C-alpha cells in the first residue's frame, strides 16, 4: 500500500477537486488514504485512512444492496443494468427508454433505487446509515448536513432528473422527499476504514460482518457484475482494463473496490479526472493490483 | 454440460436465427453444442460440439489479440475500450468522438482493428486463420467463402461504417481491402471444440497451446476486461449479471467465454435474442456457471 | 370559411383530443371555430368562433412579442431561433448546447422567455393577459385557473426542463415562480375571435389595434420568420409545405396563422395529430389558403 | 446591389473558404457577385456576377424540382420535409427514422432525390445540366470534372451516407452510380447570372423561361416552403430571421434566393461561416432585403 500511495501522489496533481459545492471544494488535494479489509476481518491502512470524507456516489452501492435485500428482484423492473455509454446519454436515454434508467449507478438510477428503498423501509437515509454503522462498527458515522444542504441548493440537475422520472411514473414518493434522502445518503461522511469494512459483504458472497446473510450468493455476485460494468461513471471500461476489479467511485474522491473472496479496498484522494473518478485512487488501485496480481481476470 | 444443454433447448425456441444473409438463415435452430477446454489441455463436449458454424463476431477477439501481440499498445490510439451503451449510439458516437470507435468489438471498432492487423501483417485474414488452426490443431479450419461473399453483398451498413471511419482518417488501407478481410475472418467456420481450444490463451494468462507467450499476463487480463464490459453487443451488462464471465458472441449463435485460470467454454445454439446473442447459449452458460459456481465475481 | 369547416370536420375524427390533463380531455372533438381578422379591423367567423378554449402554446407567441417589445434583442442571448428537429432533441439539445433552448416555441425556450418577461415586467402572466384584453377588446379574457392548476399538478416534465435550465444558469427567477407564470399564460381561455384580433400586430408590421407601435417592422417580420420555421412543434416543415403561412398551434386545438399585410386566421378544432397540432385546424387552413391563394410563397 | 456588395465585403473576411477539396480552396475570398432576375425576364448584376463558380448544394434545388416535375409526389415517400435540427442529427436521424432522410437538402436527402431522378430519366446529371442550360440560355454551362473527381476522391462521408441509405433499401441504383451523378451535378460551374435565371420558375409559380409549366403553382410554392425551412443547412432559422426569403446555399459560396412573384437573387462570395453558408452572401441579401423591404413576411 505504501507503493500504491506513491503512485497515487505522483499523479494526483493532474486532477481537480470537485468544486460544484463549496463543502467539497475545500478538500485537500494532497490527502490520501487507503484501507484493505480482508474477508476474515482484518483491516490495514495507510495515510489518512481513518479520516472521514464525503462518500457521495459510493453510497449508491449500499442503497442498491439494501433494496435488493429488503425488496428483492422487483427493483430491476424500474432500472436496467447496462452501461450508459456517455454522460450525454443520461437524459436522451431516459427519454428513448421511457423513464427506465440504464443502471442503478447513474444519478437517475440511484434516485429510483432511493425511492424504492424509501418505500420499502420508510427511511432510506436511515437504512443506509444504520447499515454503514453496523458493518463498520463506527456508531458516529453520519450524514454531513452542510454537504447535504449544499447539494440540495445546487441540485437543479438532480431535481430535473427526478421530475423527469416522475413524469414517466417511475417515482413512488414525492420528488422532494426522494431528493432529500438521496442527498442525505450521498453526503455521508465516512473513512476508508469504514467503507472497506462496510463493503465486505460483497467479498464475502453476501454475508454481513456478523455472519448473517444480507444477500444470496447470487445477488452478491450480481452486484459485483453491475459494479464492474457500470460503477465508474463513463470510465467503467477503463477501470476494468487497468484495475480489473468491481468498484464504485464518488466525487468526494473515494473508490471502494471488491476482490471477491479476498476482501475490499478503499482509497481516497480528492483530485478527480474528467470522468469524475479519483486520479490518485485509480492509480493506487492500479499499482496495488499489479503488485499483488489481484484482479478478477 | 448435459443440464446446460437442457436449459438451452428449453429456451432456444424463443429466439430467431439470424436471417440477414441466406447462408446464416439456413442454420438449424435446434442445433446445440458445448465444449469446455481446460488450461491444462483437456477438452470435453456435448451435442454438436464438433460441427463447424459461422463464428462471426467471435473472430473480433482474435483480431484484437493478434493486433496487440504484433503491434502492441498503439491500437488503443485508434479505438476506445468503453461500452457503447446502445446500438443507436454506434454512429452518433463515431461522429461525436471524431471517428474513434468506442471499443474493438462493435463493428466500427473491429473494422479499425482489422485495418491495423492488415497493416501489421499484410494479411489480416490469413493471420487469424493461421492462429485458429495452430491453437485448435485443426488444419482444415477455413473461411466459408459463400458466407463471406454473402456478407459483402449485404454489407451496405459495414461499408457505411468503413467509409465513415475513412472520412475521419481512421483507416490506413483501402475501404474495399479492409472489408474483404473483415468479412473473411468473420465468415470463418469453426466448431465449439476449435474455438474453446483457440481461446485458451485468455485463460492461460497469455500463453499459447505450445506454451509460447502470445500476450503479456497484463494484456491477457485486459482483453478479458474488455470482453466482460463490451463483448456481448448491448447486453454486456446483462451477461455479466447472469453469467459473470468475459465472453464474446457472434450472430452465428456461438459464444466463447473465459474462466481465467481454469479454461474456456464455447457454446453454439443458432437462435438469437433481440440483442443478437444466442438465447440458448446464454442460458447454457448461465446454468453451467450457476451449477459449477464459476464466475469471476 | 364554410368550405374550410367542411374540410376540417371530414378529418377531425382521425385525431385525438389532448388528454394529459382532465380539463383538456373534456373538449368536444367535433367543436370547430374559425375567425379571420383583417389588417383594417374587420372580423369574420364561422362555427364556434366566439367560444373560449385553452390557448396553450399559442400564448408563447405573445410572450415572445412582449419580451422583445419591452426588453429588446437581449432575449436572443438566452434562446436560439433554429428548428429543433425532433421532440427527442429537446433535452439532448439543451445538454449539447449548454442550456440555450433552440427556439422560443419549444417548452424550454418558452420557459426562458417567460422568465425574461417576468424579470422585465414583474408579472409575466399579467402582461400577457393585459395585452390580449387590449388587442381583442375582450375585458373578460382570463386564465382558466382549473387548467393552470391541473397543468402544474401534471407538470413534472416542465419542472424537469426548468430545473435543467436553472442548472445552466439560464433562469433568473425561482423555478416555481417561472412555472407558475408559464402555466398561467398557457391556460388562458380565449376564442378564435379574441386570438385573431390579438395577433393582428404581426400582419400589421408591428402596429397594435390602437395604431401604436408594439414592435419595429423588422421585429414583426422576424417573429413571423420564427413562427414559420418553429411554430408548429416538429411539424413546422409540413405546415409550411401545406399551408405556407407563419403559425402557432396549441394542444388545446387552436392555431393562429398570419398573412403578412392582410390579416390573421385563427382556427379551433380540438382533435390533435401525433405532433400535437389540430388535425381539423391544419386541414381548414390548408383548404382556405388553397382556395384564396393566400401563402407567403 | 452596390450597397449589398459593400455589406458583403465588410464581413467576408470573417469567413473561411471551403478547403476540403483543393479545387474549392483555390477560390478568391474577395470575389463577389450578385445578380437579380425579375419574373418578366430582366437581369441585373454587380461585381463578378458573370464568373462561374461551383454551385455545389444549390444543385439540390434543381434535382428536387426536376424529380417532382417528372415523377410527381412519390419522392415524398422516400424523403421528408422537416428541418434536421443539427448536423449531428444527420446520421442518428437516418437510423431512428429507418433510412428516410429528413429533407431533400441535407446530403442524405439529396442523394435519394438524385437516385430517384436517375431512375426517372436515366441520366440525373444530364437532366440537371440540360435544365440549367435551357433556363439560363448558357449552352456552355457544364460540370467541372476536376471538382467532381476531387469530390469523389474525398467523398468517404457521402459514400457512408449512400451505403447507409442502401442498407435501408432507400437506393434503387448502385451506390457508385448515384454518387457519380450526385458529384457531377454538385460540381456544375455556373455564374450568379446563370443561377438567378435558372431559378426563376420558383418566382414564377412554376413557369419556365419559355412559359411552359415545369411545376404546378402548388408544387412551386411547396418547394419555396421547403427552401425556407431547410435550405440553409443548420442555419435555416437564422436566414429566415435575417433575410426572410426561401434560399439555397452551397459551399462554393453561392446562395440562390427566391422572392415569390418578383424574381430571384443570386449572390456569390466564397468565404463561409461555420454552418457552411456564405458570410458575405448572407450579409448582402440581408442588406438588400432590408433596403428593398423584400421579404415574404
Amino acid at each position: 500500500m505504501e507503493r500504491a500511495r506513491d503512485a497515487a501522489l505522483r499523479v494526483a496533481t493532474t486532477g481537480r477537486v470537485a468544486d460544484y459545492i463549496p463543502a467539497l471544494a475545500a478538500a485537500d488535494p494532497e490527502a490520501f488514504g487507503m484501507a484493505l479489509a480482508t474477508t476474515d476481518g482484518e483491516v490495514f491502512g495507510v495515510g489518512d485512512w481513518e479520516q472521514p470524507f464525503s462518500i457521495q456516489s459510493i453510497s449508491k452501492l449500499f442503497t442498491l444492496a439494501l433494496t435488493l435485500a429488503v425488496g428483492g428482484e422487483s427493483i430491476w423492473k424500474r432500472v436496467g443494468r447496462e452501461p450508459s455509454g456517455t454522460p450525454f446519454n443520461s437524459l436522451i436515454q431516459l427519454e428513448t427508454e421511457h423513464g427506465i434508467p440504464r443502471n442503478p449507478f447513474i444519478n437517475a438510477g440511484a434516485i429510483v433505487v432511493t425511492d424504492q428503498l424509501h418505500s420499502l423501509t420508510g427511511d432510506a437515509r436511515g437504512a443506509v446509515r444504520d447499515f454503514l454503522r453496523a458493518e463498520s462498527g463506527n456508531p458516529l458515522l453520519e450524514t454531513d448536513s452542510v454537504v447535504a444542504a449544499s447539494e440540495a441548493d445546487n441540485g437543479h440537475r438532480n431535481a430535473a432528473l427526478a421530475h423527469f422520472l416522475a413524469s414517466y411514473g417511475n417515482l413512488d414518493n414525492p420528488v422532494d422527499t426522494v431528493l432529500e434522502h438521496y442527498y442525505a445518503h450521498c453526503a455521508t461522511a465516512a473513512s476508508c476504514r469504514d467503507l472497506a469494512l462496510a463493503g465486505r459483504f460483497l467479498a464475502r458472497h453476501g454475508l454481513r460482518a456478523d455472519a448473517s446473510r444480507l444477500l444470496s450468493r447470487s445477488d452478491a455476485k450480481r452486484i459485483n457484475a453491475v459494479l464492474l460494468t457500470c460503477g465508474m461513471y463513463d470510465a467503467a471500461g477503463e477501470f476494468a482494463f487497468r484495475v480489473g476489479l468491481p468498484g464504485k467511485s464518488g466525487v468526494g474522491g473515494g473508490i471502494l473496490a471488491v476482490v471477491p473472496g479476498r476482501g475490499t479496498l478503499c482509497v481516497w484522494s480528492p483530485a478527480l479526472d474528467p470522468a469524475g473518478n479519483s486520479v490518485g485512487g485509480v492509480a493506487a488501485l492500479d499499482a496495488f493490483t499489479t503488485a499483488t496480481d489481484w484482479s478478477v481476470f
Side-chain angles (χ1 to χ4, degrees), chain A:
Chain A
M1 279 193 278
E2 300 296 336
R3 265 185 295 167
R5 173 165 58 178
D6 294 344
L9 293 177
R10 268 197 300 279
V11 298
T13 52
T14 65
R16 285 192 50 180
V17 171
D19 56 5
Y20 68 99
I21 58 169
L24 290 179
D28 174 9
E30 305 202 355
F32 178 85
M34 189 169 184
L36 160 64
T38 64
T39 47
D40 54 13
E42 288 186 285
V43 199
F44 309 90
V46 297
D48 308 311
W49 69 298
E50 295 180 298
Q51 184 179 325
F53 59 89
S54 194
I55 72 172
Q56 296 292 323
S57 294
I58 299 174
S59 68
K60 295 172 182 173
L61 125 64
F62 299 105
T63 53
L64 176 62
L66 292 170
T67 300
L68 281 166
V70 182
E73 300 286 307
S74 64
I75 185 64
W76 300 121
K77 293 180 186 153
R78 298 179 59 190
V79 66
R81 45 214 184 203
E82 292 298 332
S84 67
T86 63
F88 118 127
N89 284 321
S90 51
L91 278 164
I92 195 185
Q93 177 265 323
L94 273 185
E95 198 155 0
T96 55
E97 298 176 16
H98 308 296
I100 305 297
R102 189 160 275 272
N103 68 60
F105 297 143
I106 54 174
N107 284 13
I111 290 169
V112 167
V113 174
T114 301
D115 178 61
Q116 177 115 331
L117 183 59
H118 195 68
S119 294
L120 290 166
T121 64
D123 181 9
R125 161 183 33 199
V128 173
R129 184 194 55 218
D130 293 349
F131 180 79
L132 292 175
R133 286 181 179 175
E135 296 303 297
S136 67
N138 175 359
L140 301 177
L141 193 145
E142 185 56 273
T143 292
D144 181 329
S145 56
V146 173
V147 172
S150 195
E151 298 274 5
D153 286 349
N154 293 277
H156 281 301
R157 184 110 179 190
N158 285 319
L161 288 172
H163 280 290
F164 204 53
L165 291 163
S167 78
Y168 281 106
N170 201 4
L171 279 194
D172 293 334
N173 297 288
V175 163
D176 288 348
T177 303
V178 177
L179 288 175
E180 181 192 342
H181 284 262
Y182 175 76
Y183 289 134
H185 67 63
C186 287
T188 301
S191 67
C192 290
R193 184 190 165 283
D194 295 334
L195 289 170
L197 287 168
R200 281 197 315 147
F201 69 97
L202 288 173
R204 287 160 54 90
H205 306 305
L207 294 186
R208 295 183 59 158
D210 64 3
S212 68
R213 183 162 288 285
L214 177 70
L215 295 170
S216 69
R217 190 175 187 92
S218 172
D219 272 343
K221 283 186 180 184
R222 288 170 167 181
I223 292 180
N224 284 334
V226 183
L227 284 170
L228 196 133
T229 52
C230 316
M232 300 295 287
Y233 304 113
D234 310 307
E238 186 65 21
F239 188 76
F241 187 86
R242 286 182 61 187
V243 175
L245 294 177
K248 186 73 208 78
S249 61
V251 294
I255 303 177
L256 176 56
V258 181
V259 194
R262 298 202 176 176
T264 51
L265 289 159
C266 186
V267 61
W268 173 52
S269 171
L272 307 179
D273 64 26
N277 296 314
S278 167
V279 175
V282 173
L285 289 168
D286 187 355
F288 190 85
T289 56
T290 300
T292 56
D293 209 31
W294 283 8
S295 148
V296 300
F297 305 115

